Amino acid sequence: MPKKSLGVALVGTGFMGKCHAMAWNNVATVFGGARPRLELLCDANMAGAERLAEQYGFQRATDDWRAAVTDPAVDVVSITTPNGMHREMAEAAISAGKHVWLEKPMALRLEDAQSMADLAALHPNQVTMLGYNYLRSPAFQTALQIIDNGYIGTPHSFRGVYDEDYSADEHLPWSWRMTHEAGGLGALGDLGCHLVSQMLALMGPVSSLSALTSIVVPERPSSDGPKQVENEDSAMAMLRFASGATGSFATSRVARGRKCRLQWEVHGSDGSIVFDQENMNELWVCSKGEAGFTRHLTGPMQPDFGAFCPAPGHNFGFNEQKVIEARDLLVAISGEENKGPDFVQGLGIERIIHAMAGSNGHVVSLG
């Protein structure tokens, strides 16, 4: 952890902005080290920025994001704005000499993500990190350990889904999230990229894939009359990993009844692992010779859980994952390993979801 306190600017104050603010407020409490200085909060509305700066614990407020990312008191910039603003803000922050913590997806287009990764590579002393917080859960970290230790043998297949129902209602109003210009990809960019991040960590690189996408509700109501939905509501893919293993992938924002079903299975030569984010404090494991699965509850023996709570079976949460992510960012800034995904690794995730979006049933090589 850094020995000196780092100055933080937060750009964006919505759901994930508040999540970042909670992480910055709690990272030193949980993990120790120098407490970050919450210097500057930016929102498009100045009155809102001032109100939330006080609520979130920031010293100052602004409605000018360029001033926020170039402020001399700021060392790290958290960016939690809509997708279409990611590239310009992140590149401005890197060019100003700041470390960057950016929410996923990286950008609207693959060429944007490529530009961001190229710029980050030119500034190796500045840390970049993308907000794939599901990688930080104690259960997921334990699953990685189980695979690395050979407990389930050689992984030969992966099955994963990430489904939610926030767009299932056909009367839901049209929004910027449903456009290429402001939202980029649909379910793949909002949900599927999270599943890809876990899939790569569990199974390694993807060599080829074939995918189909669908717009289930092609038109949405708006104050200006009906508007077209431009990006996908759902996507499905078949994959081949570089290891030779196979995989299936599905994601949907219109799956009625599903709230955060980030669920995957890894089948190995000697066993299997099953996880579901809707039950994120459980990991199910079957090893060779066992008749079925054993339920493993999260507890202090799993990575990072004990820093929050000393008692097993006491539930871990979404926001706690973000505190671990903030810790990992600060550790990387101090010169230790960057657990990422950084912008270069994030480009690999973007290549996969954009390949899925453009496949139209054809096989796409990623090797």
Side-chain angles (χ1 to χ4, degrees):
M1 296 284 282
K3 294 182 180 179
K4 73 167 190 173
S5 180
L6 298 177
V8 175
L10 172 60
V11 184
T13 60
F15 168 37
M16 293 312 300
K18 187 173 185 179
C19 192
H20 275 234
M22 286 190 285
W24 285 122
N25 273 292
N26 287 300
V27 64
T29 300
V30 176
F31 293 109
R35 190 170 298 277
R37 304 186 323 274
L38 305 188
E39 289 285 346
L40 193 56
L41 182 140
C42 179
D43 188 85
N45 177 274
M46 189 61 187
E50 291 175 339
R51 175 177 57 83
L52 290 174
E54 181 177 2
Q55 179 179 334
Y56 293 175
F58 283 79
Q59 297 180 34
R60 293 173 287 143
T62 182
D63 58 0
D64 182 355
W65 70 261
R66 292 176 179 82
V69 303
T70 58
D71 191 283
V74 169
D75 302 294
V76 188
V77 179
S78 279
I79 301 173
T80 67
T81 54
N83 306 345
M85 302 177 180
H86 285 186
R87 176 181 174 178
E88 185 178 15
M89 290 181 174
E91 290 188 344
I94 292 171
S95 298
K98 314 300 185 184
H99 307 288
V100 177
W101 187 11
L102 174 67
E103 274 307 306
K104 44 57 63 186
M106 232 174 127
L108 296 179
R109 296 168 289 272
L110 187 57
E111 54 265 36
D112 294 329
Q114 181 71 63
S115 173
M116 295 160 70
D118 289 345
L119 182 62
L122 295 175
H123 295 79
N125 293 327
Q126 291 164 234
V127 174
T128 59
M129 183 171 286
L130 291 161
Y132 286 100
N133 50 286
Y134 296 122
L135 295 171
R136 265 66 188 189
S137 79
F140 183 76
Q141 291 298 316
T142 299
L144 292 179
Q145 291 177 346
I146 289 172
I147 293 174
D148 289 344
N149 291 339
Y151 189 75
I152 66 165
T154 302
H156 56 68
S157 64
F158 171 88
R159 296 178 186 172
V161 298
Y162 192 176
D163 293 337
E164 295 197 13
D165 68 354
Y166 59 83
S167 293
D169 182 356
E170 64 272 20
H171 302 296
L172 180 78
W174 177 93
S175 78
W176 62 266
R177 288 187 178 276
M178 299 169 183
T179 69
H180 292 306
E181 183 179 0
L185 298 180
L188 284 166
D190 196 24
L191 304 176
C193 59
H194 272 300
L195 179 57
V196 170
S197 73
Q198 293 201 331
M199 180 180 73
L200 293 176
L202 292 163
M203 302 295 294
V206 173
S207 60
S208 63
L209 62 85
S210 175
L212 292 170
T213 63
S214 177
I215 299 176
V216 177
V217 184
E219 194 174 81
R220 297 277 184 176
S222 79
S223 58
D224 299 323
K227 289 189 176 182
Q228 295 297 309
V229 174
E230 299 174 357
N231 51 27
E232 75 287 345
D233 287 322
S234 65
M236 295 185 178
M238 301 298 291
L239 310 104
R240 175 75 68 180
F241 296 93
S243 66
T246 58
S248 66
F249 170 103
T251 187
S252 174
R253 63 187 181 188
V254 292
R256 287 192 181 272
R258 296 299 184 184
K259 304 307 176 186
C260 188
R261 188 198 180 199
L262 175 55
Q263 189 273 340
W264 50 259
E265 300 185 7
V266 175
H267 303 157
S269 56
D270 294 332
S272 300
I273 309 176
V274 177
F275 173 79
D276 189 337
Q277 177 67 24
E278 287 185 346
N279 297 289
M280 66 174 291
N281 289 282
E282 300 177 357
L283 189 66
W284 292 83
V285 182
C286 175
S287 65
K288 195 172 185 178
E290 294 179 345
F293 285 87
T294 301
R295 176 178 178 239
H296 296 258
L297 290 176
T298 51
M301 296 301 291
Q302 294 180 324
D304 292 318
F305 186 102
F308 294 87
C309 178
H314 289 58
N315 287 353
F316 207 77
F318 178 88
N319 289 302
E320 282 82 356
Q321 296 174 342
K322 217 66 185 175
V323 177
I324 298 173
E325 196 170 78
R327 187 277 313 273
D328 289 346
L329 175 64
L330 291 174
V331 166
I333 291 172
S334 72
E336 299 182 42
E337 176 190 5
N338 185 352
K339 294 184 178 180
D342 62 13
F343 280 10
V344 174
Q345 295 165 323
L347 177 61
I349 297 172
E350 295 289 322
R351 284 176 175 151
I352 290 173
I353 60 175
H354 282 275
M356 289 179 181
S359 166
N360 196 29
H362 299 291
V363 174
V364 179
S365 175
L366 295 160

